[in-house]
Amino acid sequence: MSSTLYSPDPPAKMKQKRLIPIHGTTDNIFSEVRDSFRRNFTEGWEKAGAAFCVIHKGKVIVDLWGGYADRECYKEWKEDTISTIFSCTKSVTAICFAILVDRGELDYSDKVTKYWPEFGQNGKQDITVEMVLSHTAGLPYFPGVKFTEEELIDNNKMSYIIENLKTVYAPGSRTAYHALTFGWLTDQIFRRVDSAHRTVGQFFKEEIATKHYIDIHIGECSNEENRLARLFKCSPALVSREVAYDRSILKLARYFYNPRGYFAAARRNLSLYGTDFTMFNNSDLRAVGQPAVNGIGSARAMAQLHQLVLDGTLLSKETFEKIKHPRNMTAFDHMIGEPQNKEHGFTYFKSPLQTWQFGHPGVGGQMIRADPDNDLIVAYLTNGMKTAGCEDHVFTFNRLQRKVYECLKRIPKFELPPPEDVDE
């Protein structure tokens, strides 16, 4: 079930090269994906650990993991290792909302005030559920708010803060990624719509994770801490290398680091916890259950969850038709700094074959994408944070996805054979 590789860039304190563990299975036809996964490590693009999973027509055809869950003590990334999925959590949340729509408990076009009358203060009265889910609600950050732990875990205090907010721009007038606020807004809406008044995390655990054995957790997860990978910052050398690969990262950086921009303001909402995304190594912050950014899980679990959407287990065909493709034109995102397709809580992408995919990227390189036309799902996680985590700017994921689609075109018109071990 495993193989090992020599590291081209061993720590200075080591007297000999350390073996990089690579584990998992691939179908014969997709063996080149395994080679690409290995090269991400041997060529120095992966500085910690990673996992990659592909499901095609309901079958797991690639399931790989390697490197280190904690590189400082050489704790290996194992089959049951989970990691912070960051904004891939938004795709999980979007699926939960789609289930409420499917059950007739909610419509995307409903005004938030239908379920939460107090929300309509200070110019927020016409904001719809879809505006919140599509990042056009005018609340990409909460002005003047620096959350304490007490406020984050108290639904009544959170409700009061949101009710008294003024919008940053006129709702519906532009798209600006609600990176963090998406979670606080959707959680408060969701618990008012759900008949049992559950948060997104509670609903997901009871209605999906437990029933279908999906290893994703949003909220209290103290029992999972020993399996959780530790996050590591992107090194300056790797930043330079990634920028050389994709110069458009520089444009995104101007938006991210602009002290007067939306992203800087959004980061101030959680500034009491740190200044970069490794703050999510803090178990106290992770336990809050923020359904925009701090879910934890495995690449395999993310793929399995989205397979339940593709195969009709979680949604009716009618609801699935509503969400599987974007309905509107691509819009420029004034927080991210480039055009994107965002609707119903999902981000939509074009695959290497130009088919539509739905899912979500996560900061640092995380990715989940489901391609209905090809009945294909790709999921990637890494704890070695990459420079850019949106759209197609992550070298390691791009290499893997391109190889998957290259292999896909070679599949003959018969059933795939069982996967084989990675052992060599």
Side-chain angles (χ1 to χ4, degrees), residues 16-211:
Q16 60 184 15
K17 291 182 178 180
R18 178 172 288 272
L19 298 174
I20 300 176
I22 302 291
H23 308 269
T25 59
T26 58
D27 178 85
N28 277 335
I29 296 173
F30 289 82
S31 61
E32 292 178 20
V33 180
R34 176 188 64 206
D35 297 335
S36 294
F37 186 78
R38 178 186 295 108
R39 287 175 62 196
N40 281 343
F41 285 93
T42 59
E43 295 175 4
W45 292 97
E46 294 287 11
K47 295 294 188 181
F52 187 61
C53 185
V54 183
I55 295 178
H56 181 239
K57 294 185 176 180
K59 297 181 179 179
V60 177
I61 55 174
V62 175
D63 191 13
L64 298 169
W65 60 94
Y68 299 97
D70 189 336
R71 70 183 185 195
E72 291 188 349
C73 61
Y74 301 111
K75 179 181 179 180
E76 290 189 16
W77 192 297
K78 300 177 182 177
E79 184 175 6
D80 69 342
T81 294
I82 53 179
S83 189
T84 304
I85 66 175
F86 286 109
S87 285
C88 294
T89 313
K90 292 182 175 73
S91 196
V92 180
T93 299
I95 290 171
C96 292
F97 268 83
I99 291 173
L100 293 187
V101 171
D102 199 51
R103 294 176 178 178
E105 299 178 38
L106 174 76
D107 192 276
Y108 290 118
S109 62
D110 289 340
K111 291 183 178 181
V112 175
T113 53
K114 177 178 179 179
Y115 310 99
W116 186 6
E118 299 83 0
F119 176 82
Q121 303 175 56
N122 298 321
K124 303 193 298 295
Q125 66 275 4
D126 293 323
I127 294 176
T128 65
V129 173
E130 178 59 26
M131 286 181 183
V132 173
L133 294 175
S134 62
H135 307 266
T136 63
L139 292 165
Y141 62 90
F142 290 172
V145 176
K146 290 186 179 182
F147 281 113
T148 65
E149 182 178 350
E150 183 182 9
E151 291 168 333
L152 288 172
I153 63 176
D154 189 316
N155 278 319
N156 291 327
K157 291 183 178 180
M158 180 65 72
S159 294
Y160 180 80
I161 289 171
I162 295 174
E163 289 162 6
N164 287 278
L165 289 172
K166 293 182 179 180
T167 58
V168 175
Y169 58 82
S173 65
R174 61 168 55 183
T175 299
Y177 185 43
H178 290 34
L180 296 170
T181 60
F182 178 99
W184 297 316
L185 291 167
T186 54
D187 224 20
Q188 294 301 318
I189 295 168
F190 197 94
R191 70 186 188 93
R192 287 168 169 82
V193 176
D194 177 51
S195 58
H197 306 296
R198 293 168 289 187
T199 63
V200 172
Q202 292 166 342
F203 177 91
F204 177 77
K205 180 179 180 179
E206 295 174 13
E207 298 281 346
I208 302 175
T210 301
K211 291 181 180 179

Side-chain angles (χ1 to χ4, degrees), residues 284-420:
D284 291 337
L285 183 57
R286 188 162 46 252
V288 169
Q290 219 276 17
V293 292
N294 77 343
I296 60 174
S298 66
R300 184 189 309 113
M302 291 201 300
Q304 290 170 334
L305 170 62
H306 288 73
Q307 175 60 34
L308 295 176
V309 177
L310 288 192
D311 66 21
T313 300
L314 295 181
L315 300 175
S316 67
K317 183 177 180 180
E318 179 183 7
T319 300
F320 181 59
E321 287 296 320
K322 291 180 181 179
I323 67 167
K324 71 176 186 178
H325 296 151
R327 302 297 177 183
N328 300 316
M329 296 296 290
T330 301
F332 184 83
D333 190 297
H334 291 265
M335 177 178 276
I336 300 295
E338 66 179 8
Q340 292 188 344
N341 287 280
K342 292 195 284 290
E343 296 177 36
H344 309 319
F346 300 105
T347 299
Y348 295 85
F349 317 85
K350 277 297 184 75
S351 78
L353 299 181
Q354 295 304 299
T355 49
W356 279 113
Q357 304 165 310
F358 70 90
H360 217 285
V363 70
Q366 330 309 322
M367 190 69 73
I368 174 65
R369 300 187 181 190
D371 180 343
D373 294 336
N374 287 299
D375 203 354
L376 183 78
I377 301 164
V378 292
Y380 168 79
L381 287 180
T382 177
N383 63 330
M385 303 287 283
K386 307 301 185 290
T387 308
C390 60
E391 292 294 322
D392 292 311
H393 302 288
V394 181
F395 178 88
T396 48
F397 170 76
N398 287 341
R399 167 183 271 175
L400 294 169
Q401 177 177 240
R402 282 196 304 268
K403 189 58 67 177
V404 167
Y405 276 86
E406 287 175 16
C407 295
L408 184 68
K409 292 188 289 186
R410 303 174 195 160
I411 294 180
K413 303 300 181 181
F414 53 76
E415 286 295 312
L416 292 173
E420 66 170 0

